[in-house]
């Protein structure tokens, strides 16, 4: 009897790791009905990260009404593991699949990601695992931090909304309103690259094209 171990990552913008496992397993069983198949969904911090954690550890999916990449109302989910750890993937609230061909990193925001974090903290999560992959954004996290109470101000003292084009306008940052639960939480970031934000090796230059830049 054959044995197959399936360990796929997601196909960016199309299928999650869980979906791929299901499709491949079905195709294998059609050819070898008696085959032993072990599916292990994995993720690199992008789409499917929450699914992979829940498949491995158990837990529940928490749905939250929040802002999408263009500030539109959406429902996104994060994972709450049995030990109380919250797993938040940026792609759930600010992901490339959510914008289709309408890609413009100057206008997209991570505000909804901050709302997911805030919701998890309000539920009592003391540890947050944040997956950074698969986003349609390039706002430097301004949107997410705005949702958590930070104010970004331009030279005239106006509060910026936290979209990508606001980055060059920041003259001051007011952290006095930051959600106090953020300081109490342990936050682990999942990221498989080491690019800074700017420069020839920066995330903006390297990944901006896939986001519409």
């Amino acid at each position: 009897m054959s044995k197959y171990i399936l360990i796929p990552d997601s196909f960016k913008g199309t299928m999650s790791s869980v979906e791929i496992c299901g499709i491949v397993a079905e195709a294998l069983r059609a050819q070898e009905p008696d085959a032993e198949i072990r599916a292990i969904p994995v993720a690199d911090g992008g789409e499917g990260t929450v699914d992979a954690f829940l498949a491995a550890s158990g837990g529940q999916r928490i749905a939250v009404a929040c802002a999408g990449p263009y500030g539109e109302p959406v429902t996104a989910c994060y994972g709450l593991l049995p030990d109380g750890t919250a797993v938040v993937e940026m792609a759930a609230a600010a992901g490339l699949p959510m914008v289709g061909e309408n890609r413009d990193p100057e206008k997209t925001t991570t505000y909804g990601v901050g709302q997911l974090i805030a919701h998890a903290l309000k539920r009592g999560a003391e540890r947050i695992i944040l997956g950074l992959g698969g986003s349609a954004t390039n706002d430097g996290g301004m949107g997410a931090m705005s949702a958590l109470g930070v104010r970004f101000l331009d030279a005239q003292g106006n509060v910026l909304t936290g979209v990508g084009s606001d980055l060059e306008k920041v003259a001051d940052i007011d952290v006095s309103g930051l959600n106090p639960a953020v300081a109490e939480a342990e936050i682990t970031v999942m990221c498989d690259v080491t690019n800074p934000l700017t420069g020839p090796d920066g995330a903006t230059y390297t990944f901006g094209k896939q986001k519409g830049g």
Side-chain angles (χ1 to χ4, degrees):
M1 181 177 68
S2 300
K3 180 175 182 178
Y4 298 92
I5 301 177
L6 312 179
I7 316 177
D9 195 356
S10 64
F11 291 174
K12 185 176 292 293
T14 55
M15 292 184 292
S16 70
S17 179
V18 172
E19 290 172 325
I20 297 166
C21 283
I23 292 170
V24 175
E26 183 179 353
L28 287 172
R29 288 195 181 95
Q31 299 298 318
E32 297 186 49
D34 296 328
E36 180 182 350
I37 300 173
R38 175 79 186 277
I40 307 174
V42 298
D44 61 359
E47 303 100 315
T49 296
V50 168
D51 288 338
F53 269 94
L54 293 178
S57 303
Q60 56 183 315
R61 187 183 308 276
I62 308 297
V64 180
C66 60
Y70 285 104
E72 74 281 15
V74 301
T75 299
C77 297
Y78 65 88
L80 192 61
L81 305 185
D83 68 355
T85 297
V87 182
V88 177
E89 63 181 61
M90 183 178 292
L96 274 174
M98 302 175 72
V99 301
E101 296 303 314
N102 182 29
R103 301 179 181 183
D104 188 345
E106 290 192 338
K107 297 178 181 178
T108 50
T109 179
T110 56
Y111 193 90
V113 179
Q115 290 177 303
L116 293 179
I117 295 172
H119 191 279
L121 293 173
K122 189 174 181 179
R123 282 190 64 118
E126 297 180 353
R127 184 184 183 205
I128 305 287
I129 298 176
L130 176 62
L132 297 186
S135 81
T137 57
N138 193 65
D139 67 356
M142 284 179 62
M145 295 309 298
S146 294
L148 291 168
V150 176
R151 298 197 312 154
F152 296 88
L153 311 171
D154 66 14
Q156 288 73 46
N158 300 309
V159 178
L160 299 168
T161 61
V163 296
S165 62
D166 284 340
L167 277 174
E168 64 179 357
K169 304 173 185 176
V170 177
D172 193 19
I173 302 175
D174 176 11
V175 300
S176 62
L178 178 64
N179 185 332
V182 173
E184 301 298 324
E186 175 188 343
I187 299 178
T188 302
V189 173
M190 290 182 66
C191 181
D192 62 352
V193 298
T194 57
N195 306 77
L197 180 63
T198 60
D201 296 319
T204 299
Y205 183 82
T206 305
F207 304 109
K209 290 182 179 179
Q210 69 180 218
K211 306 173 194 299

